[in-house]
Amino acid sequence: MTDALIRVRGLRNCFGSQVVHEQLDLDVMPGEILGLVGGSGSGKSVLLRSIIGLHRPDAGEVRLWQQDLLTLPATERSQLERRMGVLFQNGALFSSLTVLENVALPLVEHAGLSWQQAVKLADIKLALAGLPALAGHRYPANLSGGMVKRAALARALALDPQVLFLDEPTAGLDPVSASAFDRLLLTLRNALDLTVVLVTHDLDTLYTCCDRVAVLGRKRVQTVGQLTQVAAFDDPWIQDYFHGPRGRAAQYAAQGNKE
């Protein structure tokens, strides 16, 4: 059996008296696209931040490649972090830098490249994310929502990560742009042998991209598995989510794309 690339055990996250996670367990396997879903306040983004080390949990353990990110010495932690790419919900691009500069910056800061080398490589990353060359010279404020998402994806890919973390990657996009992003994600996963963890509420993305889905609720992972298994789980929220009008439409669309 393949060892989990990410292993979460007994996770507890609190904000004051509010307990968001309690005894949460989750495994992410190499090469899969795992979708994280759940109702508002279920802690999807908090879980993502806990895994990548941006939030220190109150209890429990998070291991990536069998190592605890939070207990590693600074140098080893930095090396481990370079194996991860993150796309934040709103892109989180530097507004004062062009798109090309946004992608080149981590190559200078973390890979030690010269600015000229970094710019050349950034051009390749932008092309990989499906952006035209002219987009690299624009500022984020001058881009459409879909282009911002692709620019943020190019930056997440800058250091050739092995695992991608995506927080609501298609949120705010029109259906055509969202569908194109889903197809791009599948292409990149297959071409680059990536492992992907994505937080989403987009049912089309779940049916198009995800190998497995984990549903957060009641402060833990209620169920995890392939979509057919998860959709059959006996829980009111899960039944409403997967078998409501939007869920049925997404399922029919996915079936049509496979035929």
Side-chain angles (χ1 to χ4, degrees):
M1 181 177 178
T2 305
D3 290 333
L5 188 152
I6 300 168
R7 185 179 178 90
V8 180
R9 289 294 180 271
L11 193 72
R12 176 182 170 88
N13 277 311
C14 304
F15 296 92
S17 61
Q18 181 186 9
V19 180
V20 178
H21 300 136
E22 185 72 83
Q23 291 296 317
L24 185 151
D25 297 338
L26 180 66
D27 287 339
V28 181
M29 309 309 292
E32 76 171 343
I33 299 179
L34 176 73
L36 293 177
V37 302
S40 298
S42 59
K44 303 180 293 294
S45 294
V46 175
L47 174 57
L48 205 67
R49 289 167 61 85
S50 299
I51 293 174
I52 64 180
L54 291 179
H55 175 78
R56 181 178 290 273
D58 294 274
E61 182 180 70
V62 179
R63 289 188 171 271
L64 298 93
W65 296 282
Q66 303 181 353
Q67 298 186 74
D68 186 342
L69 186 67
L70 294 178
T71 63
L72 286 175
T75 301
E76 293 181 30
R77 175 171 175 165
S78 178
Q79 291 174 347
L80 195 68
E81 288 173 338
R82 286 181 55 182
R83 300 167 73 180
M84 300 184 287
V86 183
L87 189 159
F88 295 98
Q89 188 168 342
N90 296 315
L93 298 171
F94 295 111
S95 59
S96 60
L97 300 180
T98 66
V99 168
L100 188 64
E101 290 168 343
N102 265 279
V103 179
L105 186 61
L107 293 164
V108 174
E109 294 289 330
H110 301 291
L113 299 184
S114 69
W115 186 252
Q116 291 77 13
Q117 292 171 324
V119 166
K120 289 180 181 179
L121 192 52
D123 269 328
I124 296 173
K125 301 299 181 180
L126 291 173
L128 198 61
L131 279 173
L134 287 176
H137 301 289
R138 296 178 183 174
Y139 290 92
N142 298 324
L143 298 179
S144 67
M147 293 177 80
V148 167
K149 296 286 187 178
R150 287 174 181 261
L153 178 61
R155 187 178 63 179
L157 293 169
L159 297 175
D160 296 327
Q162 295 171 267
V163 56
L164 276 180
F165 296 93
L166 313 179
D167 194 355
E168 297 284 9
T170 59
L173 300 185
D174 64 84
V176 173
S177 297
S179 179
F181 192 97
D182 290 342
R183 294 193 300 271
L184 173 64
L185 180 58
L186 279 174
T187 299
L188 292 175
R189 188 278 300 267
N190 295 334
L192 303 178
D193 194 25
L194 295 168
T195 301
V196 182
V197 180
L198 66 92
V199 170
T200 187
H201 66 274
D202 191 330
L203 282 153
D204 290 322
T205 296
L206 293 177
Y207 278 100
T208 301
C209 297
C210 293
D211 301 299
R212 291 193 305 146
V213 175
V215 181
L216 272 62
R218 299 173 186 173
K219 304 175 184 177
R220 63 194 65 191
V221 174
Q222 288 188 274
T223 183
V224 60
Q226 294 181 344
L227 263 172
T228 52
Q229 299 170 309
V230 171
F233 189 78
D234 186 15
D235 174 83
W237 187 90
I238 292 174
Q239 290 301 307
D240 288 345
Y241 183 74
F242 285 102
H243 300 291
R246 291 187 178 185
R248 292 194 297 270
Q251 184 178 9
Y252 294 151
Q255 290 172 345
N257 289 336
K258 293 177 182 178
E259 292 176 356

